[in-house]
Amino acid sequence: MRFTSTPRGARLARRLVSHRLNEWGHPYTSPANETVTLITAELAANAVRHGHVPGRDFHLRLAATDRVLRVEVTDTRAGRRPVPAAPYPAGESGRGLLLVDALADDWGVAPRPAAPGKTVWAEVRLPAFTPPSSRTP
């Protein structure tokens, strides 16, 4: 989906991910939903704050398999590749990628194909499903 590069766009992206995960069987209060929603909030906020080019939106893609949830946020600023760094201790920002790094099982940055920009992606592995009949009491 495409969102305006504004704080409102970032909030809508976060809400959409949470709703979609709930529809896919990951309830709002589940660890998977809460983790991927928080990662999305950080990546969308970074796209708005650091990847914004006037008049251009950011894109969000959410994908799922039975083992992995993946979120991708694409912006149109190619020159600014995110790197986690220690924030200024009294600063109010600079911790987003540290959170993504701590919460995601894997994450990275890829150049945007066929246009200026980049995609920051993160993956969260899901626990293996064990049918109720084979669980130990």
Side-chain angles (χ1 to χ4, degrees), residues 1 38 50 60 62 72 74 79 85 87 102 108 110 115 125 129-130 136:
M1 292 201 66
L38 179 56
H50 305 292
L60 178 130
L62 181 65
E72 299 175 355
T74 302
R125 283 192 291 277
F129 176 74
T130 305
T136 55

Side-chain angles (χ1 to χ4, degrees), residues 69-83:
L69 295 172
R70 180 181 173 109
V71 62
E72 299 175 355
V73 175
T74 302
D75 64 50
T76 55
R77 178 156 292 171
R80 299 189 75 172
R81 295 179 64 85
V83 177

Side-chain angles (χ1 to χ4, degrees), residues 85-112:
Y88 181 69
E92 294 182 13
S93 64
R95 292 165 179 81
L97 285 180
L98 294 174
L99 284 170
V100 171
D101 191 51
L103 295 171
D105 292 301
D106 197 11
W107 74 278
V109 183
R112 184 177 177 199

Side-chain angles (χ1 to χ4, degrees), residues 4 27 35 49 107 110 131:
T4 59
T35 300
R49 184 171 193 165
W107 74 278

Side-chain angles (χ1 to χ4, degrees), residues 19-46:
H19 289 305
R20 184 61 46 90
L21 290 171
N22 184 63
E23 290 172 359
W24 289 352
H26 304 285
Y28 294 112
T29 57
S30 69
N33 191 308
E34 290 179 345
T35 300
V36 175
T37 299
L38 179 56
I39 290 170
T40 301
E42 296 301 334
L43 296 182
N46 283 351

Side-chain angles (χ1 to χ4, degrees), residues 106-129:
D106 197 11
W107 74 278
V109 183
R112 184 177 177 199
K118 65 189 168 302
T119 298
V120 183
W121 57 269
E123 293 180 343
V124 173
R125 283 192 291 277
L126 298 170
F129 176 74

